[in-house]
């Protein structure tokens, strides 16, 4: 992950860059607004507001006109106006100097997690002998169409998003039923049982007791 650190004070910028590199980030350190705007694209920008050639806000505004890169503003003043202006200009977070390095790293990770886009959902997918077509809502097993109910299809399609990964009952209820579902999670077990039956081999869906389910290709 490439982090652009915009900080004119070397007493802050240098140790910050060194610390972030130690955390596994690739860091480009620049001292001016002009250098920030001509730097190669980064995955995240740490932006000091007090720069020698322009206000950090201007850098923030210009970066936003051309990219949605996550921006964390770093400032010496805990000023509510600055905070509001920064967020209105599209900054994602705001850190006041002096800040703890651990806290900053945690914020960097949180901001980049929030901005990460989920992987695209495949329209059609083959897992072992199973073929799932999300566009037509059809599932074929060894070339034969399975007569799944809509809920069974949604359940199988959810598990197939990341084969081998555990999906919790809570996630299943939220995704396949309704985020505000107050019913019992027995519903999930009933549908899993019927799905297993239609798949002809219970090993397609592994249970982790008390946690959830994962899709696995039977050996
Ligand atoms: Ca400064």
């Amino acid at each position: 992950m490439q982090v652009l650190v915009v900080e004119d004070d070397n007493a802050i910028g240098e140790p910050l860059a060194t610390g972030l590199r130690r955390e596994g980030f690739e860091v480009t350190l620049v001292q001016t607004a002009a250098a920030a705007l001509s730097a190669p694209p980064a995955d995240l920008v740490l932006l000091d507001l007090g720069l020698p050639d322009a206000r950090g806000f201007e850098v923030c505004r210009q970066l936003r006109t051309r990219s949605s890169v996550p921006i964390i503003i770093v400032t010496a003043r805990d000023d509510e106006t600055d905070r509001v202006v920064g967020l209105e200009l599209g900054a994602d977070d705001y850190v006041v100097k002096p800040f703890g390095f651990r806290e900053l790293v945690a914020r960097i990770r949180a901001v980049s997690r929030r901005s990460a886009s989920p992987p695209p959902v495949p329209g059609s997918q083959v897992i072992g002998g199973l073929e799932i077509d999300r566009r037509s809502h059809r599932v074929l097993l060894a070339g034969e169409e399975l007569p799944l109910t809509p809920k069974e299809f949604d359940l199988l399609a959810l598990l197939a998003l990341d084969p081998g990964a555990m999906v919790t009952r809570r996630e299943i209820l939220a995704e396949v039923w309704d985020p505000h579902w107050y019913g019992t999670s027995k519903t999930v077990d009933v549908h899993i049982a019927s799905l297993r039956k239609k798949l002809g081999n219970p090993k397609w869906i592994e249970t982790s007791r008390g946690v959830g389910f994962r899709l696995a290709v039977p050996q």
Side-chain angles (χ1 to χ4, degrees):
M1 182 172 158
Q2 184 76 47
V3 179
L4 175 64
V5 178
V6 189
E7 172 64 72
D8 60 314
D9 185 348
N10 275 332
I12 296 173
E14 292 288 354
L16 183 56
T18 305
L20 289 175
R21 286 188 185 111
R22 209 173 289 138
E23 290 292 316
F25 298 101
E26 297 198 10
V27 180
T28 305
L29 175 61
V30 298
Q31 278 89 16
T32 63
L37 291 170
S38 58
D43 301 310
L44 187 133
V45 179
L46 277 185
L47 179 62
D48 178 28
L49 278 189
L51 296 171
D53 53 339
R55 289 211 72 195
F57 286 140
E58 186 52 25
V59 178
C60 185
R61 196 184 62 74
Q62 290 204 33
L63 283 176
R64 263 298 159 269
T65 62
R66 61 189 199 207
S67 93
S68 58
V69 61
I71 300 172
I72 300 179
I73 283 181
V74 181
T75 176
R77 302 190 301 161
D78 188 5
D79 181 319
E80 184 157 4
T81 313
D82 278 5
R83 195 183 295 252
V84 170
V85 170
L87 296 176
E88 276 180 354
L89 284 173
D92 297 90
D93 204 353
Y94 193 97
V95 179
V96 178
K97 292 175 191 172
F99 49 82
F101 182 69
R102 288 284 129 214
E103 185 202 342
L104 182 66
V105 170
R107 289 199 187 206
I108 288 175
R109 296 205 197 282
V111 164
S112 47
R113 257 199 316 275
R114 283 203 298 272
S115 68
S117 48
V121 175
S124 154
Q125 210 181 347
V126 177
I127 305 158
L130 195 63
E131 192 179 339
I132 300 170
D133 190 336
R134 289 188 171 76
R135 285 160 301 193
S136 63
H137 271 235
R138 290 169 77 212
V139 175
L140 303 179
L141 180 62
E144 293 282 319
E145 183 166 356
L146 294 183
L148 301 186
T149 67
K151 288 291 184 215
E152 287 164 358
F153 177 87
D154 290 347
L155 181 50
L156 182 60
L158 175 66
L159 293 175
L161 277 179
D162 193 359
M166 182 63 57
V167 184
T168 65
R169 281 191 167 74
R170 186 190 297 261
E171 284 166 328
I172 293 172
L173 283 171
E175 292 290 326
V176 177
W177 275 267
D178 183 279
H180 307 294
W181 175 265
Y182 294 112
T184 155
S185 72
K186 270 272 173 277
T187 308
V188 175
D189 298 81
V190 169
H191 282 76
I192 290 278
S194 118
L195 194 50
R196 276 184 176 134
K197 204 170 188 177
K198 290 182 183 177
L199 287 165
N201 185 340
K203 289 185 177 160
W204 273 106
I205 301 173
E206 293 179 357
T207 305
S208 175
R209 204 174 289 276
V211 184
F213 304 93
R214 66 162 72 88
L215 188 66
V217 178
Q219 297 303 316

